[in-house]
Amino acid sequence: MSYRIVGKKTPYVDAVDKVTGRAKYTDDLRLHHPLRVKIVRSPYANARIVGIDLSAARAVEGVVDFVVGADFRHTFGVLPISKDEPAMAKERVRYVGEPVVAIIAESERAAVQASRLVRVNYEVLKPHLDPQKSLNESTDLIHPELGKKNNLHKSVNQSFGDVVAGLRSADVVVEHQFEFESVTHAFTEPHATQVEWEGENLTVYSATQVPHYLHRALAEVLELPMHRLRVVKPHLGGGFGGKSDPFPHEMIAVKAALKTGRNIRLAFEREEVFYSHHGRHPTKISMKLGVSRDAGIQALDGYMLIDGGAYGSFGVVTTYYNGVLLQGPYNVPNINFHCDRVYTNKPMCGAMRGHGGVNPRFASEVLFDEACVRLKIDPCEMRLKHFHQPNSKTINEFRITSVGIHHGLRNAMAASGWSQKYQKLPFGKGIGVACGFFISGSALPIHWNEMPQSTVRLGIDYDGGVSLYSGASDIGQGSNTMLAQMAAEVLGLPMTMIKVLAADTRHCPIDYGSYSSRVTFMAGNAARNAAIRMRRQLLEAACQLLECEAPIPTPPGEPENFFRQGGRPPDYGALYLGANPNYEDGYLFVDEKIVAPDGREVKYLDAVRKALDFQGALQSKGGYVSPKMGGSFKGAGAGLSPSYSYTAFISEVTVDPATGFVKVDRVTCAHDYGQALNPLAVEGQLQGSIHMGLGQALMEGMRYDDGAVQNASLLEYKIPSPFEMPEVVIVPGSGDECEGPFGAKEVGEGALAPFIPSVANAIYDAVGVRLYSVPLTPDKVLEALRQHAGGAHAP
Amino acid sequence: MLLENTCVWRPQSLAELRARLKQSSTGTIQFLAGGTDLVPALKRQGRVPELLVALSQIRELAGVKMSPTKDRLLIGPLTKLAQLSREPLIQQHFAVLGQVAGLVASPQIRNQATVGGNIMVDNRCKYYNQSEVDRHSHGGCFKAGGAVCHLIPNATRTSAPVCRARFVSDLAPVLILAHCELVIEGPQGERRIALKDLYHNEGLYGARLNAGEILTRLEIPLPLVGKIRYEKLRIRQAIDFPSLGVALSVRDEGGSEVLDVCLTGVDTRPVSLTFRPSQFATRDDFWQNVAQVSKKSVVPLKQDFFPPQYKREMIAVLLKRLWEGN
């Protein structure tokens, strides 16, 4: 069965507004006479605040008031188990750039002028910058208030099977140490927040991926009932995980509104985005991989030390993801990992595209490649033999549903000419493969509750237009378009008849937000379920007009029951629609008409008006809740997802042996995203993952000096330019995900991680050296070549 | 980020500007051409001159012409880099200059940035081109008006301030090899200097004219002496300043090749070197000599994307590429 809207290249519903500049981002909103807020930040990585003198700053004309740490009683954190962050520093600063004083003034100029007159008296302490040393520190703690013995934030140790026996049975054991610099999201739109008074209530406009979590955190930190706060996310210019926490500046802006009774406008400078960071953790990995010729990976043993920076953020999750995401894409019968996240005096790290899974993926894929070379086995053929099988279970009890990667990697091999190129290219040219595995949304919520993970509400009024209300946050990834597609497809309407109203906590039902690649899967299913229920109402009205009996839907239950019952294998018959229950009942909703099995037609608008006659207002809702799954051991919930994506990359590179420069020439990508709801969006996400991965692979890195970020600008923080982008070839690599909306699963994050090791493996094929320190910069390549040649290299 | 309050004056002609410069000026003046480098610097430093003289309306200072005697290329300092790349006279007589202009930054910046601004570009250092927070964090360096050099920590105020901020113009090395001369107007009238004499061996001020002076013209004698080529090392093939730029001009001297080289990005000034490969028995000896001379002649420090040692090594690599790639 083919669809009219799903599966078709669909431009984003907000594309025209964005490219013409009409779209309003947070800082574009013009509130009534807002006061401006400027944050004074700590210049020290670790210091005690002895005193703050605001007298000179207060004397500046236009300065209205200040916000300081003492204005807040509560700390916060995106995870309820890790609320260690104050909205502003109180007695102590823990990283360079931490907010200390916020100036509220009539103009930006006055705020900036006053910011230079704030005198903070610091007692400077020795900063903890090295994670290993910080881990060993037992007296001088970064968070003495937490009552811990050292600066360790979170430690996870999980073991499945028998790693020692697995390593013993392997034909080859490869091991190495790996090192990764921190990378940051570098989204286009800097953080911004505006606060508007409406009677006694406050509306908070903010560039956030998670309006619901922000809503909760604001209510808690500012001690306001949630109903007095409304969080709205306007158009948003990129998140990548960097806007998925509640932030200090959001608390500061609301506090400023409360203190002054005025509207507030706050926007970051680019450098403040770097101080705020929350990017990928600097990581040290020590990994051992046992591989046998016939049975593939026998054992994986890894230790990861991740440098969390000053506060928790998503760090507990990151700590788990460093290990649990190694459970795929291959069968790993014996696995042991230990990950420590340690506090240091640096800007905090958190979630970033591919969260926690990226750096260990590099380590495991490079080692796997090395093992294949030593075993003299083609690394693609080896991978093909040991991918997960559909409808299986991993050793840590992940429920695996669809797996499309087998045919994906075969397609990539064919499209790239793998077998004609691997180990056959001239010196300096190379080809490399790597594969990956990622979640389609976390099956467990951050805040433990039984609520649906996403709920969508539909309303239809007299004009026939459909209002779709969703808490999901379109951060540029196109979730509003996806939601409109769901309703348009089910109701047989053009996209222009669906108006998505999203990410507004007053009007929209709860959705947890845009992170962990959950939105298409969860909010998409919720939207589809809401549309199925609306369809039933319209069908009843249509049947009244046709003077016939309305059909009883098969199965008659609620759409969500499909998931509650644990899902079921897909029916590949002609009427398969993905994510059952099947709403097929013989009637066709198409082109604003409802067509009966006997060919008689009712106009959509007539059905709407008939329905309104006896209902007054047409409403429906749909939800999504993950099926129950997973083991019962401690930490069994980490990495659980209703569905997993798989990726295969084959990268081709040219390495200049004289300069060490690596040019990625061509990338062939097969990503198992289930069914593409919008091939245009899928391609955009894959291109984006490759570009972002390319940055981490070859050049990006947060450069710290005494804890201060030294490259806090888009000139010095090196995002690849279009010249560095390779030719991208996307080949089909998908199965059909029976539980995803119309068969879809994630495409936003998973593809990033394996791209990086595919480049490293291609470099090995090109010049015979392995690199274990990311980014793979020219100087490191050259040094490796020199070591390899035993010092024989000369220009 | 806001620019601090400052007074901006936009003269409409060179005559108007001359008249103003003749008055004994009160307070500091800064010329603003394309502003691509200066405006961010002024915002970040939070120190602005009392008068910002915006030159954009002085049409006489823009454009490329041939001298009446047809033996000199005359380039107005306000010529935009994008325009330089498109200019037929440049393409005909000094094509490499147009190509090098096309290597600077990005299209948007080249539409705004000027030739004069590029050769007069302020020296850069990771401790100087920084935010206020970072400068507080480390303490302001000499160039930022402070009393320390973070790259050379034992340098103190008691001796002369030390600054090793690096020179980053792409155009300068190519122009120097073309024996470019500058015509400078000031209160004492017009003077001419060779472009190579504009620069000093310190990073504090980089290229700087005397008070009241203005650069009015670049002159390049034609035909060019040797064939000039340029290679730019940077991690991205757009946007970035040169981590290292190598310009090479090969000329004939009594039947042997002489390599005139000018480097950018690795020292406080453009560094001119001359190599005579014929004086060496083998090519290997010659390249060894290049490596030694490079090591002695330039002092790259850890203030850029690449480690200093790598940059130094790349001098010979790029030079070899330029020379042997004919």
Side-chain angles (χ1 to χ4, degrees), chain A residues 236-254:
Chain A
L236 191 138
F240 313 106
K243 291 170 181 164
S244 59
D245 294 57
F247 282 94
H249 68 268
E250 294 168 323
M251 321 284 161
I252 291 168
V254 177

Side-chain angles (χ1 to χ4, degrees), chain A residues 43 109 116 269 271 275 656 659 661 699 703 705 708 710 715 718-719 724 778-779 782 786 795, chain B residues 1 3-5 126-127 130-132 134 137-138 234 236-237 240 305 307 310 313-314 320-321:
Chain A
R109 196 169 289 284
R116 298 195 170 120
E269 303 286 354
E271 64 206 38
Y275 302 142
D656 182 337
T659 60
F661 267 69
M699 54 192 78
R703 301 274 172 100
D705 190 19
Q710 285 261 282
L715 175 60
K718 308 294 185 185
I719 302 170
E724 281 73 55
D779 48 302
L782 206 58
R786 198 176 332 228
Chain B
M1 226 176 301
L3 199 56
E4 290 279 297
N5 278 319
K126 71 170 177 180
Y127 289 98
Q130 274 296 354
S131 63
E132 259 179 282
D134 191 86
S137 179
H138 287 97
R234 48 177 168 172
R236 297 181 287 194
Q237 299 314 300
D240 291 337
F305 183 84
Y310 175 82
E313 260 179 68
M314 285 305 109
K320 187 171 184 182
R321 198 153 281 184

